[in-house]
Amino acid sequence: MHAEKITWPVLIVSAQFNAENDEGFRLRELERELVEVHDLSVIPSFSYADADEVCRSRADFGCVVVDWDIPAETGTVAAKKRQQQKKASREAGPPATAAEFVGRLRRRHRRVPVLLLTGRTQLSDIPASTLELVDGCLWKTADTVQFLAGRVKMHHDRYVAGVYPPFFGALVEYAREYKYAWHTPGHMGGTGFLRSPAGAAMFKFFGENVFRADLSISVPELGSLLDHSGVTGDAERNSARVFGADYTYYVLNGTSTANQVIWRSVLAGDEIALVDRNCHKSLNYAMVITGALPVYMVPRRNHRGIIGPVRLSEFSPDSIEEKIRQSAIIPDQARGQRVKMSALTNSTYDGLCYNVSAIKKQLSGSVENLHFDEAWYAYARFHPLYRGHYGMTGEELAPDHPPVYCSQSTHKLLTAFSQASMIHIKNGGEVEVDPDRFNESYMMHGSTSPQYSMIASLDVATRMMEDDGEVMMDDIIREAVELRQQVIRIGRELESSGEGWFFGMWQPQQVRAGGKWVRFEDADPAFLASSQEPWVLDRDNDWHGFEDIEPDFVMLDPIKLTFTTPGIDEQGGMGDEGIPAAVVTSYLIGRGIVCEKSDYYSFLLLNSLGTTGAKQGTLLAALLAFKRLYDRNRPLEEVLPELVRAWPRRYAGVGLKDHCREMHDYLREHDVLGTMQQAFEVTPDQAMKPAEAYQHVVRGEVEYVPLDEMMGRVPAVMLVPYPPGIPVIMGGEELNDRARPIWEYLRLRQDFENRFPGYEGDIHGVEREAGAGGKYFKTLCLKQG
């Protein structure tokens, strides 16, 4: 494969580049030969420590040439730097020898060719443990510079050609053949855009490769996504191997569609589904399109309003039988059926991950298919910290073990393009999934005009995790741990200096390490990043607020960072002063920092593959800046200028501290968190199954009903408030006296939004209508009579 060689530089590690001797002269000649004759680029590095830093920050080397003969870095400036960094480093300080550097390099870059450059050392002086990690040796003076450069080029070109995984490689190769296209898409490699100024602007912004790679199903070289043939099928089969599945399917319009593909392949209508009430709305739509008869598992919540796990007992056969017996919509003739599908969200939005092995044991005799919605959790297989806590975990299956389906948003926390997701399937102990039958459901939701760059991004995400998954995950887990510890240390420092409050983290305050209890922020980061034990929830160390948590059932994912704000304690007690999280996240948005979600007194950030130290430093600086502004009660014109510009009569001249106090007082006096807790503990009475309610929508047998008139009515659509982002009521459920806490919570949300304009939260299923004194909620309900 032709490659743009200059974009894959050769890293040469040697202290001799500027030496006025024969070695320095030949090294400079080698660099010149590589650049001028072979069109390669060269990055020089003058010490093993510097080279190690370079290799941590980039992965685009075509070859690494390491001078074995750099004098050991002792008694030098580099050695002093090594000692200074030793405590902070993850690997006992920067490397001082070639052997240390090569070992470190190989742990991080498994495939890149590494060549040892030596002249004074005998081969017998290089240990076998180092030789087995390299691809060859170059003797500085024994061969000509032309020969040495040719060897480097050979290794470089061979490696770069193999960097491309199967589908992406074929796509690049096709795009570089510069064919005249007489097929769709109509822009034909981008040429069509050049006929108009707007099109030309788009072409210039994205660059030609984007358009040359935007191809049609008419290109046979790239196979077919719908019948999983050619290099497309090769890529999916490779992903199945890497992610531990029997089958993997690429889905190009998100896990919302992946969930529906899975359900439509299994349920045929009027069959029972056991569903996590803390589920994404796409699963509710899956119940609509399949005509499923749902019974629900209700998750716990703590006093902060954070969504917890479903109780393990809810997976038991007795519990399932009781739910079916009490259901008002399951007909008598269906009550003896086994549950056709069970769906569980893993991990939860705040990063709680289930011990999947325990759940499988509970459910295997009661359900025919298991579905884990792992939209936010595609990385779990690639680090031992998560062992046993993801759907494709590889334990031996009992004969009655059902097939397992996992839907993963590869784009969310791995590196695929937006909407690019995967479905992973593992056959049961005896029941095997028929891929031809499954594909009928897949094709119902797939396009005959797929976006090929999205397929390539899934292919590349797979190769990245196969090659470097554990190393990359180890980095981001360690970085998340260090950020968690730093937040707590800053809080301690501010408290000890008399400067008061700071933000907290939802995490253990103490962990058991080395046989004794230590404060979280004082624990060894390497231990926290590699051991599962500190993250497993238990009753004795009850920092989490779930009093009846089962042993070894749930762990907290360290890369899901839930920051807590002052105003409420772990028992739900609300202080005289508080800082609602919505104010903080609004300020952060103004500083260019976007959070994943915000609750009343907490907000969530994700430490993913794209997180850098600069992002973390910027975040901490912004939080400290917010604290200063709050403590000085600076005017909102300075803190939240856009809010004041939008509602000047409401917020002009108001100080930040006064603003937070007013909002906190409202939340406390109206017991908003307590009302929310009651609302989500209710499972409303079912008047009909979700599919029936939707049929009323299609027929127009619905009408908008204001919230004030909604008691006693049946909403036709689900209502999903953010926060917390889970359904409070499903289509076809009754808003009667049993469900009054739901109505009370929605009423408080409506009143809050009118009291604090600019803080409107998204509520799926609710429309807002302007009226006297503000905006008012309304939703589609079934017509009466």
Side-chain angles (χ1 to χ4, degrees):
M1 176 188 295
H2 168 73
E4 296 175 5
K5 296 182 291 184
I6 200 168
T7 65
W8 294 88
V10 177
L11 175 66
I12 301 180
V13 186
S14 177
Q16 299 293 321
F17 270 103
N18 298 321
E20 295 298 325
N21 56 27
D22 182 60
E23 287 191 10
F25 173 77
R26 287 176 64 82
L27 196 61
R28 292 189 292 273
E29 286 295 299
L30 174 61
E31 179 183 15
R32 185 178 300 112
E33 185 81 8
L34 290 170
V35 172
E36 296 180 2
V37 176
H38 296 297
D39 297 323
L40 300 176
S41 60
V42 172
I43 296 177
S45 185
F46 299 90
S47 73
Y48 302 131
D50 289 343
D52 184 56
E53 287 298 316
V54 173
C55 291
R56 285 181 174 278
S57 62
R58 56 190 300 176
D60 61 343
F61 302 112
C63 185
V64 180
V65 179
V66 181
D67 190 340
W68 182 261
D69 298 318
I70 299 178
E73 294 174 353
T74 57
T76 64
V77 172
K80 292 177 182 177
K81 177 182 176 184
R82 171 183 167 83
Q83 291 302 317
Q84 290 169 355
Q85 294 179 346
K86 189 169 185 178
K87 287 186 179 181
S89 172
R90 296 169 199 179
E91 296 177 288
T97 66
E100 286 182 22
F101 171 68
V102 170
R104 193 86 60 87
L105 173 67
R106 267 291 173 252
R107 284 192 291 274
R108 186 165 292 274
H109 302 287
R110 292 170 45 201
R111 297 177 185 266
V112 67
V114 178
L115 303 175
L116 288 184
L117 183 67
T118 185
R120 295 188 298 272
T121 304
Q122 297 295 321
L123 184 62
S124 59
D125 293 333
I126 303 176
S129 59
T130 298
L131 285 173
E132 68 180 3
L133 297 178
V134 303
D135 297 88
C137 295
L138 304 174
W139 257 247
K140 296 177 184 177
T141 56
D143 295 302
T144 65
V145 168
Q146 290 79 10
F147 182 83
L148 296 177
R151 293 289 297 174
V152 172
K153 179 182 183 299
M154 179 196 72
H155 284 282
H156 173 284
D157 291 356
R158 183 185 300 164
Y159 167 70
V160 171
V163 162
Y164 298 80
F167 180 86
F168 180 49
L171 178 64
V172 171
E173 189 72 22
Y174 186 90
R176 285 175 171 165
E177 289 179 356
Y178 297 97
K179 297 181 179 181
Y180 280 117
W182 289 77
H183 54 69
T184 58
H187 63 75
M188 294 191 177
T191 306
F193 286 99
L194 302 179
R195 291 177 176 267
S196 164
M202 184 173 179
F203 185 92
K204 291 177 180 181
F205 177 78
F206 284 110
E208 185 170 352
N209 277 345
V210 167
F211 301 100
R212 294 192 59 77
D214 184 28
L215 299 169
S216 162
I217 199 168
S218 305
V219 178
E221 292 93 328
L222 298 178
S224 168
L225 186 63
L226 292 183
D227 61 18
H228 316 286
S229 62
V231 290
T232 303
D234 293 342
E236 288 181 314
R237 286 184 285 276
N238 184 54
S239 293
R241 177 184 61 82
V242 171
F243 283 85
D246 292 315
Y247 307 102
T248 289
Y249 294 82
Y250 290 174
V251 180
L252 304 188
N253 43 345
T255 302
S256 295
T257 294
N259 288 338
Q260 296 185 39
V261 170
I262 292 169
W263 277 56
R264 190 167 256 178
S265 75
V266 170
L267 287 103
D270 289 330
E271 292 177 314
I272 301 172
L274 178 66
V275 184
D276 181 0
R277 192 79 181 186
N278 172 30
C279 67
H280 189 261
K281 59 187 178 184
S282 62
L283 282 166
N284 296 306
Y285 286 131
M287 288 186 270
V288 169
I289 65 172
T290 59
L293 300 167
V295 293
Y296 295 105
M297 302 173 284
V298 180
R300 285 167 277 211
R301 305 179 69 84
N302 67 13
H303 294 295
R304 283 190 172 273
I306 292 174
I307 303 164
V310 172
R311 290 170 175 80
L312 182 60
S313 61
E314 293 211 40
F315 300 99
S316 68
D318 290 345
S319 175
I320 295 170
E321 288 176 13
E322 181 63 16
K323 292 176 189 294
I324 293 172
R325 189 186 67 78
Q326 292 185 0
S327 172
I329 63 171
I330 298 177
D332 291 341
Q333 64 270 23
R335 294 184 187 275
Q337 294 178 7
R338 289 180 71 196
V339 172
K340 196 71 173 180
M341 174 67 86
S342 171
L344 186 67
T345 305
N346 190 41
S347 69
T348 68
Y349 303 121
D350 287 285
L352 295 177
C353 318
Y354 290 95
N355 183 332
V356 168
S357 299
I359 291 171
K360 287 179 177 179
K361 289 176 183 176
Q362 282 272 47
L363 284 176
S364 59
S366 304
V367 303
E368 295 185 18
N369 298 276
L370 295 178
H371 175 201
F372 294 99
D373 182 353
E374 295 185 340
W376 300 85
Y377 199 44
Y379 50 82
R381 177 176 170 82
F382 302 96
H383 197 278
L385 186 79
Y386 302 102
R387 67 187 179 278
H389 286 70
Y390 55 92
M392 291 290 111
T393 188
E395 77 271 12
E396 186 174 345
L397 302 182
D400 64 344
H401 195 293
V404 178
Y405 300 82
C406 288
S407 48
Q408 294 181 350
S409 296
T410 320
H411 62 94
K412 278 191 167 72
L413 287 166
L414 298 187
T415 53
F417 286 170
S418 290
Q419 293 194 57
S421 297
M422 296 190 201
I423 295 171
H424 303 299
I425 303 173
K426 189 183 286 289
N427 289 321
E430 293 179 345
V431 177
E432 295 190 358
V433 175
D434 183 340
D436 293 330
R437 286 172 52 205
F438 182 86
N439 202 51
E440 290 300 311
S441 175
Y442 179 87
M443 289 192 293
M444 285 184 188
H445 297 274
S447 170
T448 54
S449 300
Q451 173 53 259
Y452 281 67
S453 61
M454 293 175 69
I455 300 173
S457 74
L458 290 166
D459 189 26
V460 169
T462 299
R463 170 63 70 85
M464 289 178 66
M465 298 311 290
E466 179 183 16
D467 287 355
D468 305 299
E470 184 169 343
V471 169
M472 292 189 298
M473 288 305 304
D474 199 60
D475 282 348
I476 67 170
I477 292 170
R478 177 67 179 260
E479 289 160 5
V481 166
E482 290 172 348
L483 178 60
R484 288 172 176 274
Q485 292 182 312
Q486 183 66 4
V487 170
I488 303 306
R489 290 193 192 106
I490 290 172
R492 280 171 51 187
E493 180 182 336
L494 291 171
E495 186 177 7
S496 64
S497 64
E499 296 182 68
W501 68 277
F502 193 58
F503 299 95
M505 300 295 303
W506 190 62
Q507 64 188 21
Q509 296 177 13
Q510 299 182 84
V511 296
R512 192 168 183 81
K516 62 180 182 179
W517 289 97
V518 298
R519 292 186 300 194
F520 181 92
E521 63 271 25
D522 296 333
D524 180 2
F527 166 72
L528 294 174
S530 61
S531 175
Q532 191 178 90
E533 181 185 356
W535 306 99
V536 175
L537 278 59
D538 66 67
R539 296 184 187 183
D540 295 331
N541 189 10
D542 61 352
W543 59 269
H544 43 78
F546 306 115
E547 297 174 358
D548 57 349
I549 198 72
E550 300 86 346
D552 195 23
F553 179 48
V554 174
M555 65 172 283
L556 175 65
D557 186 348
I559 74 169
K560 308 282 176 60
L561 303 166
T562 299
F563 287 73
T564 59
T565 63
I568 186 171
D569 60 30
E570 301 304 332
Q571 289 71 45
M574 299 191 73
D576 292 336
E577 293 190 356
I579 302 176
V583 181
V584 182
T585 55
S586 295
Y587 171 76
L588 292 176
I589 288 172
R591 295 282 294 260
I593 300 169
V594 182
C595 304
E596 180 57 42
K597 79 176 181 75
S598 176
D599 289 319
Y600 288 108
Y601 290 92
S602 65
F603 56 95
L604 174 70
L605 290 89
L606 305 174
N607 200 77
S608 67
L609 294 179
T611 304
T612 64
K615 285 185 180 179
Q616 293 188 347
T618 301
L619 170 67
L620 292 175
L623 294 177
L624 285 164
F626 181 92
K627 172 184 167 54
R628 289 194 301 271
L629 294 166
Y630 175 87
D631 290 344
R632 297 170 186 171
N633 200 22
R634 299 299 299 169
L636 291 182
E637 287 89 342
E638 178 182 341
V639 183
L640 300 171
E642 292 187 7
L643 182 72
V644 178
R645 281 195 293 269
W647 289 276
R649 295 179 63 183
R650 176 66 177 85
Y651 297 119
V654 176
L656 175 59
K657 190 171 188 177
D658 296 332
H659 178 55
C660 290
R661 182 185 294 118
E662 181 187 5
M663 190 179 294
H664 173 71
D665 287 346
Y666 179 93
L667 296 173
R668 180 182 58 181
E669 291 166 8
H670 292 83
D671 192 22
V672 173
L673 270 77
T675 305
M676 180 180 72
Q677 182 91 338
Q678 295 172 27
F680 282 96
E681 287 176 351
V682 172
T683 302
D685 294 326
Q686 296 169 299
M688 61 191 69
K689 63 183 181 179
E692 270 185 76
Y694 178 68
Q695 288 166 10
H696 286 281
V697 175
V698 173
R699 297 187 188 113
E701 298 166 352
V702 292
E703 59 187 350
Y704 276 108
V705 178
L707 178 62
D708 289 347
E709 302 172 14
M710 207 180 294
M711 282 299 298
R713 302 295 294 270
V714 177
V717 296
M718 74 183 96
L719 304 183
V720 188
Y722 294 83
I726 64 174
V728 69
I729 194 166
M730 307 290 192
E733 293 180 339
E734 298 182 61
L735 201 57
N736 54 17
D737 284 340
R738 175 184 173 87
R740 180 171 289 276
I742 295 171
W743 183 85
E744 293 284 358
Y745 178 60
L746 292 172
R747 185 182 59 80
L748 281 175
R749 287 287 295 261
Q750 177 181 269
D751 183 57
F752 176 87
E753 292 184 6
N754 285 316
R755 286 281 298 274
F756 299 96
Y759 290 95
E760 294 83 0
D762 180 32
I763 306 179
H764 173 88
V766 165
E767 299 293 331
R768 292 167 174 85
E769 187 171 62
K775 295 182 179 179
Y776 299 93
F777 293 177
K778 63 178 183 179
T779 196
L780 284 174
C781 294
L782 272 61
K783 288 182 177 178
Q784 293 181 318

